């Protein structure tokens, strides 16, 4: 198994695991169940750890597909740039989850507040990773691409001939 295959297998975990963790943590908050909250926080820590190999295999995965006909280098770049930001947010979620878990175990007075902050950060993290996943999916799935996603960035694709726009070439 190469890095590209590993990237494609693991890439779904941060997205799916985070949304599952959000549901578990929200349930634990609503019903004031500390044990359920601990499960959610452990889930977020696990997702943060799983995100590391996803990120580290991303560069090689990009190099594997960049020369395949029909693959937009701009889409790969957009995906990479957002992933670079998203991994920091996931790291923050992992650290907050660890602090929340520690606060719960120590029965600290701030455990409820930090757990609510963790829930909010987890929602932001999920939204960011859903967008990263969507951009990654567009690299090989042309059926979900839009022109605005392809053209994000500095529009070098149109200069490189990857995208033709013939609307202005009418010689009437």
């Amino acid at each position: 198994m190469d890095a590209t295959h590993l990237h494609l297998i693991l890439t779904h975990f941060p997205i799916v695991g985070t949304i599952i963790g959000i549901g578990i943590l929200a349930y634990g908050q609503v019903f004031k169940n500390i044990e359920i909250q601990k499960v959610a926080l452990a889930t977020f820590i696990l997702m943060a750890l799983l995100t590391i190999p996803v990120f580290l295999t991303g560069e090689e995965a990009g190099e594997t597909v960049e020369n395949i006909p029909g693959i937009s280098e701009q889409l790969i770049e957009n995906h990479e740039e957002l992933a670079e930001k998203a991994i920091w947010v996931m790291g923050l979620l992992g650290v907050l989850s660890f602090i929340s878990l520690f606060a719960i175990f120590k029965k600290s007075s701030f455990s409820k507040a930090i757990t609510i902050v963790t829930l909010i950060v987890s929602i932001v993290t999920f939204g960011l990773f859903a967008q990263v996943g969507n951009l990654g999916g567009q690299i090989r799935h042309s059926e979900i691409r839009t022109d605005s996603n392809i053209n994000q960035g500095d529009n070098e694709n149109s200069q490189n001939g990857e995208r033709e726009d013939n609307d202005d070439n009418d010689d009437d």
Side-chain angles (χ1 to χ4, degrees), residues 9-81:
I9 290 170
L10 294 178
T11 196
H12 298 90
F13 283 97
I15 300 167
V16 175
T18 302
I19 193 69
I20 289 170
I22 289 168
I24 295 170
L25 187 54
Y27 180 90
Q29 288 283 327
V30 168
F31 294 102
K32 299 179 185 349
N33 187 323
I34 297 298
E35 296 305 313
I36 295 291
Q37 291 178 38
K38 289 178 187 177
V39 169
L41 296 168
T43 300
F44 292 144
I45 293 168
L46 179 61
M47 292 309 105
L49 293 172
L50 278 172
T51 301
I52 296 168
V54 172
F55 183 77
L56 293 176
T57 57
E59 186 69 31
E60 188 173 328
E63 290 174 9
T64 300
V65 299
E66 69 185 2
N67 294 319
I68 296 173
I71 299 298
S72 167
E73 201 167 316
Q74 186 63 48
L75 280 175
I76 295 170
E77 190 174 314
N78 294 344
H79 175 68
E80 287 176 352
E81 287 177 7

Side-chain angles (χ1 to χ4, degrees), residues 37-132:
Q37 291 178 38
K38 289 178 187 177
V39 169
L41 296 168
T43 300
F44 292 144
I45 293 168
L46 179 61
M47 292 309 105
L49 293 172
L50 278 172
T51 301
I52 296 168
V54 172
F55 183 77
L56 293 176
T57 57
E59 186 69 31
E60 188 173 328
E63 290 174 9
T64 300
V65 299
E66 69 185 2
N67 294 319
I68 296 173
I71 299 298
S72 167
E73 201 167 316
Q74 186 63 48
L75 280 175
I76 295 170
E77 190 174 314
N78 294 344
H79 175 68
E80 287 176 352
E81 287 177 7
L82 192 57
E84 289 170 0
K85 294 175 180 103
I87 194 167
W88 288 102
V89 177
M90 182 63 87
L92 174 63
L93 177 60
V95 169
L96 282 173
S97 298
F98 184 80
I99 293 169
S100 297
L101 208 52
F102 184 78
I104 289 171
F105 280 122
K106 291 293 186 180
K107 299 182 192 246
S108 297
S109 59
F110 69 93
S111 66
K112 289 181 185 179
I114 192 73
T115 304
I116 289 170
V117 169
T118 302
L119 178 61
I120 293 166
V121 170
S122 69
I123 293 167
V124 170
T125 303
F126 169 74
L128 192 55
F129 267 85
Q131 182 62 23
V132 170

